[in-house]
Amino acid sequence: MTTADALLDRYDEVRAYTERLAAPLSPEDQTVQSMPDVSPTKWHRAHVTWFFESFVLAENESSFRQFQDQYWFLFNSYYEAVGPRYSRPLRGVISRPGAHDVGRYRSNVDDRMRDLVSGIDEGTLGKLAPTIELGFHHEQQHQELLLMDIKHVLSLNPLQPVYAGAPLRSADPGRLGWKHYDGGLVEIGHDATTEGTFCFDNELPRHQQWLEPYRLADRLVTNGEWLDFMADGGYRRAELWLSDGWAKVQGEQWRAPFYWTEHDGVWLEHTLHGTFPVDPALPVCHVSHYEADAYATWAGKRLPTEAEWEHAASLEDRSQPANLADGETWHPRAAGPGTGGLRQLFGDCWEWTSSAYLPYPGFHPAAGAIGEYNGKFMSNQMVLRGGCALTPPGHARASYRNFFPPGARWPVTGLRLADGAAA
Amino acid sequence: MTTADALLDRYDEVRAYTERLAAPLSPEDQTVQSMPDVSPTKWHRAHVTWFFESFVLAENESSFRQFQDQYWFLFNSYYEAVGPRYSRPLRGVISRPGAHDVGRYRSNVDDRMRDLVSGIDEGTLGKLAPTIELGFHHEQQHQELLLMDIKHVLSLNPLQPVYAGAPLRSADPGRLGWKHYDGGLVEIGHDATTEGTFCFDNELPRHQQWLEPYRLADRLVTNGEWLDFMADGGYRRAELWLSDGWAKVQGEQWRAPFYWTEHDGVWLEHTLHGTFPVDPALPVCHVSHYEADAYATWAGKRLPTEAEWEHAASLEDRSQPANLADGETWHPRAAGPGTGGLRQLFGDCWEWTSSAYLPYPGFHPAAGAIGEYNGKFMSNQMVLRGGCALTPPGHARASYRNFFPPGARWPVTGLRLADGAAA
Amino acid sequence: MTTADALLDRYDEVRAYTERLAAPLSPEDQTVQSMPDVSPTKWHRAHVTWFFESFVLAENESSFRQFQDQYWFLFNSYYEAVGPRYSRPLRGVISRPGAHDVGRYRSNVDDRMRDLVSGIDEGTLGKLAPTIELGFHHEQQHQELLLMDIKHVLSLNPLQPVYAGAPLRSADPGRLGWKHYDGGLVEIGHDATTEGTFCFDNELPRHQQWLEPYRLADRLVTNGEWLDFMADGGYRRAELWLSDGWAKVQGEQWRAPFYWTEHDGVWLEHTLHGTFPVDPALPVCHVSHYEADAYATWAGKRLPTEAEWEHAASLEDRSQPANLADGETWHPRAAGPGTGGLRQLFGDCWEWTSSAYLPYPGFHPAAGAIGEYNGKFMSNQMVLRGGCALTPPGHARASYRNFFPPGARWPVTGLRLADGAAA
Amino acid sequence: MTTADALLDRYDEVRAYTERLAAPLSPEDQTVQSMPDVSPTKWHRAHVTWFFESFVLAENESSFRQFQDQYWFLFNSYYEAVGPRYSRPLRGVISRPGAHDVGRYRSNVDDRMRDLVSGIDEGTLGKLAPTIELGFHHEQQHQELLLMDIKHVLSLNPLQPVYAGAPLRSADPGRLGWKHYDGGLVEIGHDATTEGTFCFDNELPRHQQWLEPYRLADRLVTNGEWLDFMADGGYRRAELWLSDGWAKVQGEQWRAPFYWTEHDGVWLEHTLHGTFPVDPALPVCHVSHYEADAYATWAGKRLPTEAEWEHAASLEDRSQPANLADGETWHPRAAGPGTGGLRQLFGDCWEWTSSAYLPYPGFHPAAGAIGEYNGKFMSNQMVLRGGCALTPPGHARASYRNFFPPGARWPVTGLRLADGAAA
């Protein structure tokens, strides 16, 4: 297979998957922005298309013309270098282009991308390929966002609509075990020799860090354990919380994870399958960094640093099956029996770390608009590691750095405990 | 024709007209709430249906069952007596029921209304008819709101979508003349003998008021006259404004009527036909009470009181044609040559008065939930009279009291000058 | 006594009274702005001084020079015509000039005013006298505001400081009676022949109004009656409230009048004498228009219009003693036994009317900055009549129109019931 | 000297210094809270007193009684464990206790502290001494806050009041040089053997970190260099900024450092000596982390990590004179000629680092209320190192970790550039 063919196969695969994820959603579903952090489904579908049009076609298509000039304004997310952009919190007031019009935009760009990639010489394609591949990974990120966002949209509807499928059957989460690490001088950051060639700029450069000896829990914290925390006054005891977290608990009246509601004394959880009684066996999810930190304090433990997590992950056998988006469970699963290794490491829930999202030593963002991808968000955010049940498979690797503000609750976020350990 | 047949003919007519107004709008258009004051089209379509279901069917249908119990929660606008209701500013986050589902709700209630009205005895029908007729007038109010609201939704879209039709051709607005009234002890309020049997409770009781002699302009203020006001510093001169109005001018940076935008030195106006250069011949519209009051002060005049307006209107020949929704102009028209009477009295633009919206002497709201229709809004609002190009014909009568807060700009509002006059 | 001497006597009297009211307050007390509506005591003391400096001295003093040029910026309240002014909600962040510096400013202006008035010829003085007299009335208004405002400042302090004096002894409020009025064509507005020569522009012109027959309660509603309203769910029953009022009840969680707090099941009231159990015999005060309206609805009555109130007041014997600021009770008193007339008409509590604050027919504001005194506030406010225990005596007359937004609770406001009546 | 005598000498010294700093401020100055982050001077004076009363006297004084029970409520800053506390943003509405009353509170606690320390046995004193010493350092922190806060209060006053003294004479800032460090495995955290016995809990434990080779600028960035940044579009070029920083630039319209205002084309700087033209020779101060980061990006450099800073500082000769509060300059000074070492390392301006404020490996907060001192603030803040011209001498040491949110501008904050360097 030529490079061009391989690229186009991958292109078609990624693009088709987005449409498959959007397929269960009506034009009305695809229009709603339920809070400023959330984007409408049809906006996601258009924005990832705009990425290819503006970063690949614009510079390389002979006789380039925008599909619709206002789309560049509407579907630019945050690239200051590309020009003015439409206000993010107002994405939900734009009824047109409709879901169907966005489909036509996608088809048009798909045709032009295929023409471009098939038609250019190998040398030019070699230079272009990294940007196209970045476009794949960008679209996959938005596949996860699309699911996260529509989960929130549907959660606000008193009719309790279902995105897809049936609830998970319960299962034994297994006993929580601990795994010991000696620490010392370790290397973290993306390693192309073991993890494949692609990574985001924020995973580089690979570099050394000194780690004290530590332990990690071998599975995620469960809903059942979280219920114990709640029963023990977890949301009412200031001494367990970071100051900013306690302000949130009081200001937003947090009493439980984000999608939990109490009804006649029973805690229910909104999922993409519908709303059901909380299953104690499943990992707790949709908790903020503040909640994760408070839980760890309550448990007499702490969250891992991202270096601890990555170092540990690099030692694991990567062939274990992971609960990612391709499994179409749309929700974290119970851990199952202990394996000797770290269970639920990739998939299920993104795992909050205690590390702020900051540049690695020697980090430099890429030149041009693409350079805005990651670096400019390096403030007021915490790193998460691992992946979740809504993450496309290509986005789960040991060096992957996801990040959200410590108060964010709508991503599929859980926690794994850590501990300092005598060496 | 029997009473039942007449009622059902009217029912079908009113209900079909709502659907005709919504027909040009896509499911996405019908979903958006562009600001808290605006409701989505499909919400309007459902809410007027809920009105019949809850105020007519619920008490009178044998073996009544709600079409969908959550609809009662979702589509109650403000009737506290009917139970809890969904938060108004969040109407735009509800993607389901979709536009099509709302159509099914409408059909179901239509069938049940027809069965009920055809099936009950004349006596019962006689008692029920006033509530059904109130439902017609209620639905007509929402027909106007639907158009006002979608105008706002579309206005925010950089693609500048069009609701319908083509722009008005310009025409001479005619010279502004003045008509004199002696005042004295006059009667205002609804008079069933001259204006037909239906009115809202806030138009009653008919009562006496003492009026000083006054004059009214015989047509509305035009865009051309408004441009003179702007050129003379109208939006920059504090001395012309009520204090609350000046706070709005500064806080929201008002520089022109609501739907005007300046582009390369040319003022453009967003209309339901699209966006066009401001036509000086047309009446100015989408100005707040504050702006209307400032203009009148600038012109050395004032706004009429509602009693002055109504007394004058009662003296006019009502056979003059009016630019209301049935004309499908969707916009105010130029006044045309003077007639000796008050031009543009009904239709074109709602006319701000200087009267606060307060109860008439002896006013009592109806008993029960229906009593919440009007009385409870009698604070912080100003009365408007006449009707506009989006008003269904049945809503234009001399005693009709429309009302909005003095800062509202998204209704189709203009002004007619008044003046004290030597007797 | 010459005109000049009489003016100066009055000047000294008014100015000294302000200082007497401020005397119990420490420099720190005089500095605090407890909410945007409230001004610091020292700001009031300076602002009324600025009024004389800018409206009298500036135009008439030979070789006029401002005492301090920044004071014109700091102590202009809302006169746009006088130039830019300091932001109202930030009056509390200005520690200097301190209370003592303001005293020096007052003395300086007092000296210059005395020089000016003693030194100019009778003719010039005649032209100037109305503005000086306006300055007296302006300062008296601020005397009441100073007391209202410091009451709020002290109310927020957990130490419960006392402004002055001892609590009122309780007394029998007397039975509530009703007084009948025939209505018809009456005159309202200031009448110089019966009420003295001074009035504000908003009390003019005197004009005719048609009144239906009506009745007025012969005393104010008491705390005891208000407790009945509360016990009957007054603050929990939406059907009693104007829509805007109900939004306040819910948004600000109103459960009782403004200065009431519940402690171990007992309602306490903050007063200028300290905090004490609510006395059922005293008039209820510090209720908003919304609360007054809801109470009247609950009682099956309504509030009077301002024309009804003024017409009734004009028929009363004005020699009855009134509980105004000169009595130094600093709080409304119990009504005492019926008198055949309207008790508590002047003083005790300002009485909410059902009338919006709007211009009288033919009203024109004065020319220049003085014209900003009243007219520009004629929107979103309701008229109050009568006066209160903090009102200087010169401010209680039948035609006096006080006004506040319907949600205001920090003025000393109560209510008198009204009723339509068979003739 | 006995331990008790030494402690009491130090006690008297620290306590007297607070009063000396407050002495130039009037009762009104001491009352104002100019923004939620700022506390009134008299609040600081009372709060540090409350610290001794609640953490030392309460547990150790025989027959302990609070000076005033409400003071515990009013003057608790953020210790949840001590009980409910008064709302921080409302500290400025409390006029009483006044400045003089706070003085009486201070004297009372001073007397009781002296009695306690003189009267108890050596063993008990030994256990108590660390808490008393913490009280000294706590009070010193508030000495700096008092100055920072009053600087803000006075800055808002159009009269431009002066706290003290005369402006600095300008001086040559000296050429910016660079100093190289090899990095490798270094130790950071408080080292009692070289830095004295006291430190805060957040400076512990001392631990290893791996550092890549790096360089540090040998002096702070100057106003002159900052003016170059501004002239080159520093505040208008999105590509230089962190995303959150750019949102601040736009939302709060930042165009220059916090206390700079432009007047007729000249930049003026508010200082504690008054307002003067910006001196290009002085270090830039009152810039946020966002601004510091953007400047570094513009300069092709970066900010140092806290480990880089501390490691470099530990190598410096600590005998160099520092511009701290005892010098009473109240403002950063020009650096002067190069010394071969790092100039301006302690004093002048706090230096933003690129490190988020997070726990050191193995950090555990102290037990009880004292444990709330530092740990609970470890989110959304950035570390600053060094000290500033308002810092009491005892607060400048290599391991000291100051912290503020990245948008904070009212502390005396500047920056020193860093760079990765070939080894």
Side-chain angles (χ1 to χ4, degrees), chain A residues 129-211:
Chain A
T131 306
I132 295 173
E133 190 170 12
L134 182 61
F136 300 157
H137 288 270
H138 173 258
E139 184 144 351
Q140 287 183 308
Q141 287 185 308
H142 280 274
Q143 287 162 1
E144 179 170 339
L145 288 168
L146 182 160
L147 291 166
M148 271 166 60
D149 288 357
I150 202 68
K151 184 172 184 176
H152 187 253
V153 168
L154 299 179
S155 79
L156 299 180
N157 196 317
L159 302 176
Q160 304 192 357
V162 168
Y163 170 73
L168 299 172
R169 268 168 305 166
S170 191
D172 189 334
R175 207 178 56 82
L176 186 144
W178 290 88
K179 206 165 163 187
H180 178 91
Y181 302 89
D182 290 334
L185 203 56
V186 305
E187 283 206 337
I188 67 163
H190 186 256
D191 179 355
T193 62
T194 60
E195 293 193 290
T197 53
F198 180 83
C199 73
F200 288 114
D201 57 0
N202 62 9
E203 301 170 49
L204 291 172
R206 190 161 169 85
H207 64 284
Q208 288 179 297
Q209 284 213 14
W210 178 264
L211 298 182

Side-chain angles (χ1 to χ4, degrees), chain C residues 167-227:
Chain C
L168 298 173
R169 267 167 305 167
S170 191
D172 189 333
R175 209 178 55 81
L176 187 144
W178 290 88
K179 207 166 162 185
H180 177 92
Y181 301 90
D182 290 334
L185 204 55
V186 306
E187 283 207 336
I188 67 164
H190 186 257
D191 179 355
T193 62
T194 60
E195 294 192 290
T197 53
F198 179 82
C199 72
F200 288 114
D201 57 0
N202 63 9
E203 301 170 49
L204 292 172
R206 191 161 168 85
H207 64 283
Q208 288 181 297
Q209 284 213 15
W210 178 263
L211 298 181
E212 302 295 322
Y214 66 103
R215 299 193 306 163
L216 293 184
D218 75 341
R219 67 157 169 76
L220 300 175
V221 169
T222 64
N223 285 332
E225 289 158 350
W226 199 268
L227 286 162

Side-chain angles (χ1 to χ4, degrees), chain A residues 19 24 34 78 116 120 129 153 157 165 207 221 244 270 283 308 322 329-330 410 415:
Chain A
E19 294 296 271
S34 50
Y78 56 68
L116 177 76
I120 55 173
V153 168
N157 196 317
H207 64 284
V221 170
D244 289 348
H270 164 77
E308 290 171 340
T329 63
W330 313 126
W410 95 113
L415 71 152

Side-chain angles (χ1 to χ4, degrees), chain B residues 151-152 154-155 161 259-260 268-272 274-276 331:
Chain B
K151 183 172 185 176
H152 187 254
L154 299 179
S155 78
Y259 284 126
W260 291 23
L268 305 178
E269 181 171 16
H270 165 75
T271 73
L272 284 168
T275 302
F276 302 99
H331 204 74

Side-chain angles (χ1 to χ4, degrees), chain A residues 232-250:
Chain A
D232 196 35
Y235 285 93
R236 294 190 307 272
R237 290 166 54 187
E239 77 269 20
L240 301 174
W241 294 80
L242 288 164
S243 181
D244 289 348
W246 186 239
K248 285 274 193 189
V249 168
Q250 295 186 296

Side-chain angles (χ1 to χ4, degrees), chain A residues 25 29-30 32-45 88 91 141-156 163 258-259 270 272 286 390 404 409-412, chain B residues 93 95:
Chain A
L25 301 168
D29 292 336
Q30 297 200 26
V32 170
Q33 177 174 42
S34 50
M35 64 173 177
D37 283 331
V38 158
S39 296
T41 304
K42 67 184 176 69
W43 187 92
H44 284 299
R45 292 170 57 217
R88 175 177 183 131
R91 287 176 186 164
Q141 287 185 308
H142 280 274
Q143 287 162 1
E144 179 170 339
L145 288 168
L146 182 160
L147 291 166
M148 271 166 60
D149 288 357
I150 202 68
K151 184 172 184 176
H152 187 253
V153 168
L154 299 179
S155 79
L156 299 180
Y163 170 73
F258 189 47
Y259 284 127
H270 164 77
L272 286 168
H286 296 288
L390 308 182
F404 279 103
R409 307 177 91 201
W410 95 113
V412 185
Chain B
V93 307
S95 57

Side-chain angles (χ1 to χ4, degrees), chain A residues 212-409:
Chain A
E212 301 295 322
Y214 66 103
R215 299 192 306 162
L216 293 184
D218 75 341
R219 66 156 168 75
L220 301 174
V221 170
T222 64
N223 285 331
E225 289 159 350
W226 200 268
L227 286 162
D228 292 343
F229 167 69
M230 287 164 58
D232 196 35
Y235 285 93
R236 294 190 307 272
R237 290 166 54 187
E239 77 269 20
L240 301 174
W241 294 80
L242 288 164
S243 181
D244 289 348
W246 186 239
K248 285 274 193 189
V249 168
Q250 295 186 296
E252 305 186 4
Q253 305 193 277
W254 290 353
R255 301 176 52 225
F258 189 47
Y259 284 127
W260 292 21
T261 47
E262 197 176 15
H263 207 257
D264 294 338
V266 178
W267 284 103
L268 306 178
E269 181 171 17
H270 164 77
T271 74
L272 286 168
H273 318 108
T275 303
F276 303 99
V278 166
D279 180 343
L282 301 188
V284 67
C285 60
H286 296 288
V287 292
S288 63
H289 174 82
Y290 296 129
E291 288 162 291
D293 182 85
Y295 179 91
T297 298
W298 172 78
K301 301 288 184 289
R302 60 171 175 82
L303 300 176
T305 66
E306 63 169 326
E308 290 171 340
W309 194 99
E310 181 170 336
H311 174 62
S314 70
L315 305 174
E316 290 293 318
D317 170 15
R318 281 304 310 275
S319 65
Q320 57 168 304
N323 178 22
L324 294 159
D326 54 346
E328 303 201 353
T329 63
W330 313 126
H331 204 74
R333 281 182 318 194
T339 60
L342 297 173
R343 289 171 284 165
Q344 301 176 311
L345 193 60
F346 297 102
D348 293 308
C349 294
W350 286 102
E351 303 178 22
W352 286 110
T353 72
S354 63
S355 299
Y357 178 52
L358 293 172
Y360 283 167
F363 167 76
H364 284 295
I370 293 281
E372 298 183 45
Y373 205 99
N374 274 308
K376 75 179 184 183
F377 299 109
M378 289 175 174
S379 67
N380 303 310
Q381 316 234 25
M382 301 304 285
V383 173
L384 301 105
R385 294 301 191 106
C388 79
L390 308 182
T391 307
H395 276 255
R397 61 182 168 268
S399 62
Y400 194 98
R401 306 176 80 195
N402 199 358
F403 53 89
F404 279 103
R409 307 177 91 201

